[in-house]
Structures are given as C-alpha cells and as structure tokens.
Amino acid sequence: MVTASRPGPPVPPPPPSPSDVAAARPGALRPGAGRSDAGSSDEARSRGVFAGPSLGVEPKTVMWVLTVFVAVVLYAVSVPIDAAVYHVHVAAAFGIALVQVGSLLLAMWNGWAAAAAFLAGQAAFGLLGSADPGLPWPVTVPQLILLCAVLALMVLRGSKQAAVALWLGAIVVPLVIAFVPGHGATPDGVIANLVTSGAVSALVLGAAFAVTAGRARLDAALDEERRSSAVEHERRLIAEERTRIAREMHDVIAHGMSIIQVQASSAPYRLTGLDEAATAEFAEIAASARSAMAEMRALLGVLRDPAGEPETAPQPGLAELPELVASVERAGVPVSLELAPGLLDGGPAARAAYRIVQESLSNVLRHAPGAATLVSVDRASDGRAGLELVVRNASSTDAAVDAGAGAGATGAGEAVDPSAARREPGAGHGLIGMRERVRMLGGRIESGETVDGGFEVRATLPLTADTDIRSAADRSGDS
C-alpha cells in the first residue's frame, strides 16, 4: 500500500463566494431540487402577501408590527367611544375593548381563538351598552373596522373556516342582542346597521379569499417554473460536462494517433528490406492518422468554449493521486491514501478515478473542512478487470465547529452550484460529473451519508482490453 496520511499545517478554507452565501439562505434554489423551503403554510402565505424582498426584514415580523399598530390605534379609539357614546362603564369599556382588539393579535396565532374573543367582546358590549337614537347599533364603526381587519388577517394566515364562522357569528350575535329591550335602538336602525356591517365585512372577506386564491395560483406557477429551471440547469451541467470529457478524449486519442503517425512515417527508414507495397501501406497509415487528427481538431473547435483557453497539460492519472492528496492536506484536511501496489497508470479508468477523487476532495474542503478522509483505490473485488474507488470522510460536525464553518456542512460528493465552487481546472460539477464519467466507462457509482454522519462515494470502473491496468506480476504471468 502507498499511504500518505501525514497532515500538513492547517490552512483556513477559502472564504465563501456571494453565491455560496445565497445558497445557504433558507429557500435558496439548488439544482435539481424542485422544492419549497418555506416554513409553515401560514408563513408562506404571509411571505407572499406582505413580504418585500428589498425590506431585509422577516415577513412575519412585518405582519406583527402592522397588527400591533392597528390594534393599538383601534383600542385607543374604541375605549372612549364605548364609554362616552354608548354609555358603557369606563372599566367595562377598557375590558371589552381589550378582549375585542386582542382578537386581532390572536388571529396571528389561532383563528378560532380570535373568533371566540371577538364574539365574546361583541356580546358583552351589546348587553352593557345602549345607543341614542340615530347612532349605529348594535355594531359600532370601530367594531366594523376591527371585524374587517380580523377577517382579512385570518384568511391571509390560513384560518379560512374560522373566518367564515366569525363572519356568520358577527351577524347572529348582534341580531340576538337587538331583541334585548332597553337599548334605545329602533328596528329600522338595527336592520340598516346589520345589513351594512354584513355587506362590508362580506366584501372584505371575499377580497381576502380572492387574494389568497390568486397568490396560490402564482405560487404554483412559480414552483413549476423553479422545477423546470432546475431540470434545465441540470441538463446544461450534464451537457457541459460531456463536452469537457469529449475535449479530454481528444487529447488522449490525439496522443495515440500521433504515435501511430510517427511510427508509420518512420517505419521505411527504420526497417530494412521493405518492399514497395509495405512502404505504401505504411504511408497510407500515416496519412490516415494525420487525417483523423485534423478531423478531431475541427470537431474540437466546435465543442471548445470560445472564451476558454486550450488545455495543454497532460491528463492526470493514478500517479498524480499522492500529489493531489498532499495539496489537500496542506489545506487542512487529513487524508489517508490507500493505493493498491502494482497498479500502472494509464487508460480512461485511471483518468476518471483521478477526477472523481479530485471532485470528492474538493467538496470535502468546501463542505466538511477538517474532516478525516480516506481515499482507497484497488482492483475490483468482483473478479473482473477494473478499479474500485472509495472516498469517505468522517462526520463533519466536530471539524466544522473547529473550523468555524457551522453545523450544517455536508459531505464529499454533494452536487453544488458550479458558479459558487472554487475548483481546479478540469474539475467536474459534483455528482453530475462523476456519474457521466462512470457512465461513459460502463461502471457504477454510489454515494450517500454513512452511519456515523459522514459521506461516501464508491465507484467501480471497468477496464477494457485496450485500456487495462495490470500489475507487473500480472504481466509476468501473462508472458
């Protein structure tokens, strides 16, 4: 085994980019996750109706502030009107106003409790008060305003059934009070008062229902658009990753074709005694190789990003894993590398293994800084020609606390927004890039959380006859 487990000096992880911060906020959209991150249904509804993105304040806080302000104003108006105009005792006026105005605050918490409080205060007012001829009775103007505010708030908070029950009760209770003698109201005045209050409150109730229904349709359309955008975003990432893999394959194939062309061109000079037919055949092989390379360059020009720079560095493989591990250790992540002896570097499987390890360690640095990580590369355990790759990091809770990263870190291999990632040249797009590479080779990959709270990526990469990676013992046995 080749083991590289000596950690270097810890280095703080790079600061998060603005898109990382945005993705960490509640409700931020992640690729392929068509979901709603709102809390309760009441909070979602209040966010949709009252929230303004530019306020920088929680929607629920805004609702509470407005509700308390309206309650204070109505309380200050109701007490003197009940005591001076409707002949309610001053102490009773304070109590009745407190119960009724309190229903506005209760509507933020429980709709049925708010309805009970409002109707109880209305009944007490009807029994203790009286009206001079010409005054609104049994529903006063402050009570009507309060009723409309409570109904609207209850509907917007999701207590629709309680709001309908309150509206019916606000008609039945005053109607019963109207039959109690000694309140000084005429039948015509009572009927006009009840019709007016019922119509106005019904209008407000209907408007609140219309607003919530429209908001629900808008939320459904936005959710559908988010899901469509997430699916399209993932498709774009897959297309980009496949394009980048195709560019890598060009470099690999071009290297092989160059060797074929050079060998075929130099064969007549290196080998003596070749007849004209053999010389012509070597010349045709060299010409075919040059033609194939020219066509690949033309196709690569279509795939290459116009703004990108050509990649001229050789493609890394298993031999570069110790160097990759050492660079991650210098960033403060202790990594143990277990590389089976005798594995020779080369072929698509080795390059794919390097890229999978690179992406997994990059995500450990980004999401679980300081978590102990194991990288294991061995021959496939099922007896087939192939590589078995495991990247596993321990629980990131303690490491994240030590690094000041918070307890919400995740493990290696999690798909992240590529615009927010600081990745090395050639790195993929999280699990999307890993899946595409393994799929290209006909292998399989599994990833997920471990029982101890860490994260594991396990991949099996098959080897073909042309790209087999054999040990020296295998080669000697074959010979």
Side-chain angles (χ1 to χ4, degrees):
M1 294 287 181
V2 178
T3 304
S5 58
R6 184 177 62 188
V11 178
S17 65
S19 54
D20 285 329
V21 178
R25 292 178 186 142
L29 181 64
R30 292 179 290 273
R35 86 276 181 267
S36 173
D37 286 337
S40 63
S41 59
D42 288 346
E43 292 176 349
R45 274 182 283 270
S46 63
R47 182 182 292 111
V49 176
F50 292 98
S54 61
L55 293 178
V57 183
E58 287 293 331
K60 194 172 183 179
T61 302
V62 175
M63 290 187 66
W64 272 108
V65 171
L66 293 177
T67 302
V68 171
F69 174 77
V70 174
V72 170
V73 172
L74 289 177
Y75 185 79
V77 173
S78 298
V79 171
I81 290 179
D82 291 351
V85 178
Y86 290 96
H87 312 294
V88 179
H89 191 275
V90 175
F94 275 100
I96 292 172
L98 182 63
V99 172
Q100 282 201 302
V101 174
S103 65
L104 189 61
L105 302 178
L106 288 175
M108 292 287 296
W109 169 64
N110 187 292
W112 292 105
F118 182 88
L119 295 177
Q122 194 172 45
F125 171 79
L127 295 176
L128 298 178
S130 61
D132 296 332
L135 292 177
W137 179 266
V139 180
T140 65
V141 174
Q143 285 181 354
L144 178 58
I145 297 175
L146 179 61
L147 174 62
C148 294
V150 174
L151 289 174
L153 187 58
M154 289 169 65
V155 173
L156 296 178
R157 294 291 293 175
S159 303
K160 297 181 179 180
Q161 295 179 350
V164 174
L166 174 59
W167 180 77
L168 294 175
I171 295 176
V172 174
V173 171
L175 183 61
V176 173
I177 293 174
F179 289 99
V180 178
H183 291 288
T186 62
D188 294 340
V190 171
I191 293 175
N193 179 261
L194 293 178
V195 169
T196 302
S197 62
V200 173
S201 57
L203 181 62
V204 173
L205 183 63
F209 273 105
V211 170
T212 54
R215 187 63 195 181
R217 288 192 296 270
L218 180 59
D219 288 341
L222 290 177
D223 289 341
E224 181 63 27
E225 182 64 25
R226 292 189 189 101
R227 284 190 291 268
S228 300
S229 299
V231 172
E232 184 61 29
H233 179 69
E234 185 169 357
R235 289 176 180 173
R236 181 177 61 83
L237 293 183
I238 292 176
E240 291 177 356
E241 185 64 16
R242 288 180 175 177
T243 300
R244 203 187 61 76
I245 293 175
R247 294 199 299 266
E248 289 184 6
M249 293 303 298
H250 163 269
D251 297 335
V252 174
I253 298 173
H255 175 71
M257 297 299 294
S258 298
I259 295 177
I260 294 174
Q261 189 268 335
V262 171
Q263 289 179 340
S265 299
S266 62
Y269 305 98
R270 293 182 290 102
L271 304 177
T272 60
L274 293 178
D275 55 14
E276 295 182 358
T279 302
E281 186 172 351
F282 277 117
E284 291 179 1
I285 293 174
S288 298
R290 286 192 295 269
S291 176
M293 285 191 293
E295 291 180 3
M296 281 192 298
R297 291 192 186 97
L299 291 175
L300 183 64
V302 177
L303 296 176
R304 190 177 299 279
D305 182 7
E309 297 180 357
E311 299 175 5
T312 57
Q315 295 300 318
L318 298 180
E320 285 74 25
L321 283 180
E323 181 181 354
L324 174 64
V325 168
S327 66
V328 174
E329 286 184 328
R330 288 193 295 270
V333 176
V335 182
S336 297
L337 174 63
E338 296 180 359
L339 188 61
L343 288 180
L344 300 180
D345 198 14
R351 288 185 290 274
Y354 179 89
R355 293 304 188 191
I356 292 174
V357 173
Q358 180 187 42
E359 183 66 32
S360 298
L361 294 180
S362 175
N363 286 335
V364 173
L365 280 170
R366 194 160 50 247
H367 300 296
T373 304
L374 169 67
V375 177
S376 174
V377 183
D378 202 347
R379 294 177 181 83
S381 58
D382 56 4
R384 301 178 181 179
L387 294 177
E388 187 168 301
L389 170 67
V390 177
V391 181
R392 181 191 308 114
N393 66 273
S395 174
S396 60
T397 303
D398 297 336
V401 172
D402 294 338
T410 57
E414 178 181 342
V416 296
D417 187 351
S419 64
R422 292 174 177 240
R423 56 181 78 248
E424 300 180 28
H429 296 307
L431 287 179
I432 295 177
M434 297 181 194
R435 284 197 301 265
E436 291 303 310
R437 291 180 180 277
V438 174
R439 183 184 304 171
M440 179 184 66
L441 298 176
R444 62 181 182 273
I445 183 171
E446 299 176 354
S447 61
E449 294 185 0
T450 59
V451 293
D452 60 353
F455 201 91
E456 180 182 85
V457 175
R458 182 181 295 271
T460 301
L461 307 173
L463 304 174
T464 63
D466 295 333
T467 60
D468 201 355
I469 299 176
R470 299 180 181 181
S471 65
D474 293 336
R475 290 182 180 273
S476 62
D478 292 340
S479 60

